[in-house]
Amino acid sequence: MVAAYFQVHEATLATMKIGDMSRRVDTVTALRTVLLALFILGTVGAGIELLLIEHTESSWQLVPLVLMAASLLSVAWFSSIGARLGVRVFQAVAGLFVISGFVGLYLHYHGNAEFELEMYPTLRGLNLFWEAIRGATPVLGPGTMIELGLLGLAYTYRHPRLVNTREPPQTAE
């Protein structure tokens, strides 16, 4: 069923007229706009939440806030100037979001596990894992950084400002 859908879809794309192509481009532009809006909304919301819970006690806790500020600055940069480099910088920051999310998952889990072991030194295995996951520090909270980073990367996927505008080399016939 899925294969049939894609075959029909490919056939439809192959027989599109020029006017239909502009509708497709408009759809891609609309989706890209929604992705960016979700990224900005999520980044601002998560940043406000981190500030409200005072996620500023150590340098590790400042990493998501610094990345959020950098991402919003890079969005402002490439939105106002239209620079290809700005989109690349945003791509890099979005990639750092994903990496920082995985580091945050580890740090939150590790901190909770250490706390549980201080309280219950004999705790091991699945019991330790379960208690650490349900600990005071939200272990899955940094997953927000992963999600936002993936949204940012999806936004930049085949971004029009990243298209190579140079003509391909002519081959001798």
Side-chain angles (χ1 to χ4, degrees):
M1 183 171 166
V2 173
Y5 168 79
F6 285 109
Q7 287 173 348
V8 169
H9 189 64
E10 284 178 27
T12 303
L13 285 175
T15 60
M16 285 177 139
K17 296 182 180 119
I18 298 297
D20 291 336
M21 190 57 82
S22 67
R23 275 187 269 160
R24 182 168 180 250
V25 170
D26 290 343
T27 301
V28 170
T29 301
L31 289 173
R32 194 177 304 284
T33 302
V34 169
L35 287 173
L36 185 60
L38 288 172
F39 177 85
I40 292 169
L41 182 64
T43 299
V44 170
I48 290 170
E49 181 178 4
L50 289 176
L51 290 172
L52 289 174
I53 65 169
E54 297 177 354
H55 198 271
T56 56
E57 294 175 5
S58 72
S59 58
W60 282 111
Q61 288 185 338
L62 291 175
V63 169
L65 291 166
V66 169
L67 287 174
M68 288 175 183
S71 71
L72 295 174
L73 288 172
S74 67
V75 166
W77 178 26
F78 76 74
S79 295
S80 63
I81 298 174
R84 179 180 184 170
L85 180 61
V87 178
R88 287 290 186 203
V89 168
F90 178 70
Q91 240 177 1
V93 173
L96 291 173
F97 264 59
V98 174
I99 293 167
S100 76
F102 283 111
V103 170
L105 288 171
Y106 170 78
L107 291 173
H108 282 211
Y109 174 80
H110 190 262
N112 284 349
E114 280 184 353
F115 178 77
E116 292 300 329
L117 286 172
E118 283 179 21
M119 296 207 29
Y120 308 103
T122 60
L123 207 55
R124 297 282 182 263
L126 192 56
N127 290 333
L128 174 60
F129 174 78
W130 185 248
E131 292 302 321
I133 286 290
R134 298 181 336 177
T137 305
V139 172
L140 299 179
T144 302
M145 292 297 286
I146 297 169
E147 180 183 2
L148 290 171
L150 292 174
L151 271 174
L153 291 172
Y155 169 79
T156 61
Y157 178 73
R158 292 189 175 180
H159 193 282
R161 292 190 186 140
L162 299 180
V163 174
N164 190 355
T165 57
R166 290 181 287 169
E167 293 291 322
Q170 298 291 327
T171 57
E173 290 183 32

